[in-house]
Amino acid sequence: MAHNPTFFIDQHGCAKNQVDGELLVSLLRKKDYRQTFDASEADLIIVNSCGFIESAKTESLNAVMSARQMYPKAKILLAGCLAERYADDLAESLPEADGIFGNGDLSQVYKVIEPLMKGQRTVLVPEQKGVCCGDRDILLSFAGAAYVKITEGCNNRCSFCAIPIIRGELRSRPADDIIAEIKKLVSQGVYEINLIGQDLAAYGTGSGDNPFGWGRTCHWAGLVSGTRSGRQRGYPLRQKRQAGLKSGADWSAGARACGLRWRR
């Protein structure tokens, strides 16, 4: 009787990429893949790479080549930012990888994994759209802590930064989705929530963003601050968010509304 395939995830990069790794773990577990924490036992090794700076690129490439050398029978999938940024080049220059998968839509990972496990080399870079989120069965953070992604991409286009090239334009998650995820994490014993995004102060300012829903534009800002919304008080929304997040007393009110409590 055929056994359920095992997989090992080799995690690289930033907190945003860590959340992506946690989502990949959960997606594979839902398909009855078994996670192992010993790469020598894995049928599939996922290198969730970083493609931001040269040293990170080198580290991710070395991870792929080391995995191929040490575990020749395993299938190797290069995922993450390096795969997203250089998919076409690596499809030709990195035969050590059995498949390449970008980070635009992680739910499409099955389209790469299934043929890959049958010996078919697949390269897939889904469109950068929305913010990847969902259930995370396994958290790769310290116990009691979790990252919650609230935006994806960036519109700043700084000359020194590749984030818009890798992650695309700014998109923001609906506020209700963020709050629901935080409440679920708290119910599971998480007490430290870290909101992450490339530019948190730009939340809700993307070209297609409407995170609070029509008629509720500043609902979440009001929840965090415990006061009236920024527009009601005549402040630009961005300035109001920054003011609210800098106030410990205001954040306490928002935290209590989400069911969070300070640890003493």
Side-chain angles (χ1 to χ4, degrees):
M1 181 177 178
H3 73 287
N4 293 335
T6 56
F7 73 94
F8 173 86
I9 186 161
D10 182 13
Q11 185 65 40
H12 298 261
C14 65
K16 297 186 295 295
N17 208 42
Q18 177 178 315
V19 171
D20 288 350
E22 293 165 349
L23 289 169
L24 288 173
V25 168
S26 295
L27 287 166
L28 265 64
R29 285 163 59 97
K30 287 179 181 177
K31 286 289 187 178
D32 294 327
Y33 280 73
R34 295 182 296 113
Q35 185 179 11
T36 177
F37 297 95
D38 183 349
S40 65
E41 299 176 351
D43 300 306
L44 169 66
I45 295 175
I46 301 173
V47 177
N48 195 27
S49 63
C50 178
F52 189 61
I53 59 176
E54 289 302 317
S55 59
K57 297 176 194 176
T58 299
E59 178 184 286
S60 296
L61 288 172
N62 286 343
V64 172
M65 291 184 280
S66 295
R68 172 55 64 217
Q69 182 178 10
M70 297 175 64
Y71 314 111
K73 294 183 179 180
K75 301 295 184 182
I76 300 174
L77 175 65
L78 176 64
C81 289
L82 189 70
E84 175 73 24
R85 187 175 183 181
Y86 299 110
D88 292 338
D89 293 335
L90 294 174
E92 298 181 3
S93 63
L94 192 66
E96 291 85 356
D98 297 299
I100 295 174
F101 180 55
N103 54 24
D105 182 357
L106 299 179
S107 68
Q108 296 190 39
V109 67
Y110 308 127
K111 295 181 180 179
V112 175
I113 296 286
E114 291 175 359
L116 182 151
M117 297 304 291
K118 297 176 182 177
Q120 302 172 24
R121 193 167 194 263
T122 305
V123 177
L124 179 61
V125 182
E127 179 185 2
Q128 288 285 345
K129 187 177 181 180
V131 181
C132 290
C133 52
D135 293 335
R136 290 180 281 161
D137 301 330
I138 299 292
L139 298 176
L140 304 176
S141 308
F142 292 107
Y147 293 108
V148 174
K149 191 186 297 189
I150 69 171
T151 68
E152 190 64 275
C154 186
N155 289 345
N156 290 329
R157 303 284 175 181
C158 300
S159 60
F160 57 83
C161 181
I163 290 298
I165 298 172
I166 300 172
R167 298 274 182 170
E169 295 184 352
L170 175 69
R171 295 95 68 194
S172 302
R173 286 179 67 187
D176 288 343
D177 287 356
I178 298 169
I179 293 170
E181 180 176 4
I182 291 173
K183 287 182 176 179
K184 183 174 182 179
L185 289 167
V186 170
S187 72
Q188 295 170 344
V190 173
Y191 51 79
E192 178 181 313
I193 300 293
N194 299 281
L195 302 183
I196 57 170
Q198 188 60 31
D199 182 0
L200 291 179
Y203 176 79
T205 64
S207 59
D209 285 352
N210 181 30
F212 307 106
W214 297 112
R216 301 176 61 242
T217 305
C218 295
H219 168 77
W220 200 53
L223 173 65
V224 171
S225 68
T227 64
R228 291 178 296 167
S229 70
R231 288 187 180 177
Q232 288 173 321
R233 304 186 73 174
Y235 300 149
L237 176 59
R238 182 166 176 165
Q239 291 180 6
K240 176 57 185 171
R241 277 199 305 273
Q242 291 172 332
L245 291 175
K246 289 177 182 177
S247 168
D250 287 349
W251 170 242
S252 297
R256 287 194 296 272
C258 288
L260 301 175
R261 293 185 296 272
W262 297 111
R263 297 183 74 215
R264 298 187 183 278

